[in-house]
Amino acid sequence: MFVLAAAGSAVGLGNIWKFPYMAGDGGGGAFVLLYITCIALLGLPVMMSEVLLGRRGRSSPINTMRALAREEGRSTLWGLLGVMGMLAGFLILSFYSVIAGWTLAYVVEAASGSFAGISTQGVGELFNRLVGDPWRLMFWHTLFMVLTVSVILRGVRRGLEAAVRLLMPGLFVLIVAMVVYAVIAGDFLDGLKFLFAPDFSKITPDVALKAMGQAFFTLSLGMGAIMMYGSYLPEDASIASTSVQVALTDTLIAILAGLAIFPIVFANGLEAGQGPGLIFITLPLAFGHMPGGTLFGLLFFILLVFAAWTSAISLIEPAVAWMVERFSFTRIRASLFCGLIAWAIGVGTVLSFNHWPRIRLLDGTAFEGKSFFDLLDYLTSNIMLPLGGILICLFAAWVMGESSRRTELRITHPAVYALWRFLARYVAPLGVVLIFLHVLGMV
Ligand code: TRP
């Protein structure tokens, strides 16, 4: 159950929508190399630490952190880590829902046969027509938020398991089939080279920051989502092996998505670094020209909606759980309230793609030219999640007593335990700090 829930949270738009366009933007191989390094050296130890704290605390992240800090005789200010996570959850969900809305809109496009025989120019027009219309975006954003809240208010455990059990294999099979199509119809070698032959001159502090942010985002780390799910993990389950399973599945799906997309991008002379529209412009071209593409495209976008749905749930579950614990709200009331907040912030992202492509507010700073959506994405993935991740590691690997963390992790192999401790104590926190300092130009 935990592996399913955590995989359901991890695998989502981050793998299929965000990873390809971030890789395209970050110069391909250089980004992918840094991303995989960040998954292994930062993502895994943070994930294990987060699950560990969640299982020991057994409540919402804020109360888990407060309880564990009290247990260790430390300040309950550690609860602020949960507060920052909750805030990050609202901000991420607000734009996540808008993008999931694009996916819903594309389910309808696929069903109505819009992709059949579509041209390179046609896919661009289809996408621009959607994002240029704030009312259409609002409609789909609202629908997605209603779907998310309707699951959350019944309690996440029910239904999630079945959904993920069907979803993961389905998504996997479809993506593999698309990679096969990319081998046949795309410039597969160019795609492969783009993703795996790093141009080392493209490794810059900025690309490292984005790769790190993407590693946190795609594994759902640093805001308490995994901590929340860790609280469902039974006493006897192994934290190390479940974390490795989740991270491997997630990475595999992202890489496959890249292999399905870039060969099509290059074969059609599309721009790899064009940003958030990348898959919505590339995939319909593939669906429009493969045999059975309409049905295939329909199935694909439906599964992507489900993947986004199981991820979105994990973004507000910590806040809902906390409101139920703290204010004795009913679950229904807390869910509606949280959904409404995230929905309202989402309006800013809806407008980012048409009326306010650039907010002028932060011009003249490092954020010049960033839209509301870009700012939220930057703030959450590149700053809040890694910061949350460091604090989680520091708590698990330094603050918590050696015997508590040993019993909780239950790693029988001493070398594996030592490796986790080394990564969580030194490598992950210093790695994040080093990347931050590089970006600020201080090292
Ligand atoms: N990991 C999800 C994805 O790849 C998104 C997500 C769900 C998330 N829960 C999260 C990201 C918590 C950061 C934190 O689509």
Side-chain angles (χ1 to χ4, degrees):
M1 170 65 204
F2 170 78
V3 175
L4 286 174
S9 166
V11 175
L13 295 172
N15 307 63
I16 290 161
W17 158 73
K18 201 171 175 196
F19 171 77
Y21 91 76
M22 297 289 289
D25 198 43
F31 176 88
V32 175
L33 182 69
L34 290 169
Y35 163 79
I36 291 177
T37 311
C38 287
I39 296 272
L41 297 184
L42 313 178
L44 263 178
V46 174
M47 184 179 283
M48 287 175 61
S49 307
E50 207 173 320
V51 179
L52 155 77
L53 299 183
R55 181 160 75 181
R56 200 169 175 83
R58 298 241 182 250
S59 46
S60 69
I62 297 180
N63 286 333
T64 285
M65 290 314 300
R66 290 170 60 96
L68 295 181
R70 221 177 282 123
E71 188 181 289
E72 303 296 338
R74 298 303 170 101
S75 158
T76 48
L77 282 177
W78 278 99
L80 289 178
L81 167 57
V83 175
M84 180 175 74
M86 197 167 87
L87 194 66
F90 279 117
L91 298 180
I92 296 173
L93 181 62
S94 79
F95 68 78
Y96 204 81
S97 168
V98 175
I99 313 296
W102 299 358
T103 314
L104 278 170
Y106 269 55
V107 169
V108 175
E109 295 291 354
S112 57
S114 316
F115 302 157
I118 200 165
S119 65
T120 313
Q121 200 190 352
V123 279
E125 282 166 7
L126 194 69
F127 180 70
N128 289 331
R129 228 179 305 130
L130 171 67
V131 297
D133 184 345
W135 293 108
R136 256 178 93 196
L137 294 185
M138 275 311 288
F139 174 79
W140 295 112
H141 163 53
T142 308
L143 180 62
F144 185 79
M145 199 60 87
V146 169
L147 289 174
T148 303
V149 168
S150 68
V151 173
I152 274 278
L153 52 77
R154 284 183 208 132
V156 275
R157 292 193 210 200
R158 239 177 296 158
L160 195 62
E161 189 173 348
V164 180
R165 250 189 229 286
L166 282 176
L167 167 77
M168 288 291 160
L171 199 62
F172 185 78
V173 169
L174 248 56
I175 295 178
V176 169
M178 282 160 61
V179 175
V180 172
Y181 178 77
V183 172
I184 300 168
D187 284 343
F188 194 70
L189 271 183
D190 282 347
L192 209 59
K193 255 191 258 155
F194 182 72
L195 285 174
F196 296 110
D199 170 355
F200 289 98
S201 70
K202 295 216 166 113
I203 298 189
T204 61
D206 192 49
V207 171
L209 181 72
K210 287 180 179 158
M212 171 175 79
Q214 175 62 11
F216 278 93
F217 185 89
T218 196
L219 294 177
S220 303
L221 296 176
M223 55 80 53
I226 293 294
M227 202 185 283
M228 193 74 233
Y229 284 179
S231 70
Y232 309 152
L233 190 66
E235 292 297 331
D236 54 352
S238 154
I239 291 181
S241 80
T242 49
S243 300
V244 170
Q245 276 177 58
V246 172
L248 278 181
T249 311
D250 188 83
T251 308
L252 181 66
I253 293 192
I255 299 282
L256 287 174
L259 287 177
I261 284 160
F262 286 107
I264 306 292
V265 168
F266 296 129
N268 291 284
L270 298 171
E271 172 58 56
Q274 63 177 273
L278 184 64
I279 69 155
F280 292 93
I281 287 174
T282 311
L283 292 178
L285 264 182
F287 297 135
H289 296 273
M290 63 170 73
T294 294
L295 182 66
F296 202 77
L298 179 63
L299 259 177
F300 178 83
F301 283 110
I302 291 177
L303 283 176
L304 189 54
V305 167
F306 273 96
W309 200 355
T310 57
S311 298
I313 290 166
S314 74
L315 282 163
I316 48 169
E317 174 64 15
V320 170
W322 178 71
M323 282 181 193
V324 171
E325 288 165 10
R326 174 73 177 75
F327 303 113
S328 317
F329 275 14
T330 60
R331 203 169 160 96
I332 296 183
R333 195 152 157 219
S335 311
L336 290 174
F337 185 64
C338 291
L340 197 67
I341 297 176
W343 176 84
I345 308 172
V347 177
T349 291
V350 163
L351 295 175
S352 293
F353 293 97
N354 34 71
H355 292 311
W356 315 334
R358 301 278 179 258
I359 54 167
R360 319 275 359 157
L361 222 55
L362 295 177
D363 276 10
T365 71
F367 299 106
E368 174 121 20
K370 277 196 174 359
S371 68
F372 184 80
F373 159 72
D374 294 330
L375 277 179
L376 279 194
D377 178 36
Y378 193 94
L379 177 69
T380 52
S381 296
N382 298 352
I383 301 171
M384 294 170 90
L385 300 180
L387 206 59
I390 306 189
L391 293 172
I392 287 167
C393 276
L394 291 180
F395 193 92
W398 289 98
V399 175
M400 215 167 167
E402 179 73 17
S403 71
S404 332
R405 69 174 159 253
R406 250 185 211 283
T407 36
E408 204 55 63
L409 272 177
R410 249 179 227 88
I411 298 179
T412 38
H413 211 296
V416 177
Y417 177 77
L419 179 63
W420 167 76
R421 208 177 83 142
F422 179 68
L423 291 175
R425 279 203 154 182
Y426 305 103
V427 178
L430 290 177
V432 172
V433 168
L434 205 67
I435 292 178
F436 280 164
L437 292 179
H438 260 294
V439 172
L440 294 172
M442 290 164 71
V443 275

